[in-house]
Amino acid sequence: FRRVLFRSHWQRYLRGMLDGQLKALRFHDPRLLSIWLAANEPALWAGLLSPVEVLRLPSGQVWLKNSGNVAPNNDYPWTVPPSLIDAWHRSEPGINSAVMNFSLQLWEERADDASQWDTEDSPFSERIRPWLTACAQRGDVIQTLTLDDALAWLTQQGTLTI
């Protein structure tokens, strides 16, 4: 019975309105996941995570659902704190997600350039990974970085000519 409830719960979050049309959402798509993480809307997160009792970060840190007798909000017992979202963006999976997002964005927005800048010998994703890692270590807000920022860094490094 509990499995059916979980399945029903997760299915509610696999559909959403986009440009006035109902679309299927894929949480395993790093582009979608990073948008959800960056949204930081407590009601959205609380609804999504309501059946979750324990959340473990890649760092090993554990967040427990409020286990008191009275939840702060019975409909939305989870509120993901900004520190958790920030921790995800700075984690290895978060950086991998950002790398993939920038690579996909390059091909979607600048396909002609991408064919020159993203080659088998010199993958774009591997060239921007050190930059994103350094940004995370410096404390930059990863979710505010843009493709133009990545291209500017590569140009400064002398590995890209725009």
Side-chain angles (χ1 to χ4, degrees), residues 15-25 32 35:
R15 296 180 304 272
M17 295 301 286
L18 182 63
D19 298 329
Q21 297 180 358
L22 186 62
K23 301 282 185 176
L25 306 176
L32 177 66
I35 291 167

Side-chain angles (χ1 to χ4, degrees), residues 2 14 28 37 42 50 52 58 76 80 83 97 114 118 127-128 130-131 133 135 151 155:
R2 188 172 167 95
L14 294 177
H28 63 276
L37 287 171
S50 63
V52 177
Y76 304 114
V80 176
S83 60
S97 175
D118 188 16
R127 290 188 294 154
I128 65 168
W131 167 69
T133 302
C135 289
L151 296 175
T155 302

Side-chain angles (χ1 to χ4, degrees), residues 7-8 14 27-29 47-48 55 62 87 91 127-128 136 139 141 152 157:
R7 185 174 54 225
S8 170
L14 294 177
F27 290 116
H28 63 276
D29 184 333
L48 177 66
L55 189 64
V62 175
S91 71
R127 290 188 294 154
I128 65 168
V141 180
Q157 300 301 303

Side-chain angles (χ1 to χ4, degrees), residues 30-108:
R31 294 178 297 176
L32 177 66
L33 183 60
S34 64
I35 291 167
W36 273 62
L37 287 171
N40 194 17
E41 295 177 19
L44 176 72
W45 271 102
L48 177 66
L49 295 176
S50 63
V52 177
E53 295 178 9
V54 176
L55 189 64
R56 183 178 307 273
L57 295 176
S59 67
Q61 185 178 8
V62 175
W63 290 77
L64 299 174
K65 185 178 202 173
N66 183 345
S67 59
N69 291 336
V70 179
N73 178 331
N74 288 330
D75 293 329
Y76 304 114
W78 275 95
T79 300
V80 176
S83 60
L84 176 59
I85 293 170
D86 186 59
W88 185 86
H89 281 288
R90 292 177 194 297
S91 71
E92 187 175 340
I95 290 171
N96 290 341
S97 175
V99 165
M100 169 127 3
N101 289 345
F102 283 128
S103 295
L104 292 170
Q105 186 181 2
L106 175 67
W107 280 96
E108 289 170 351

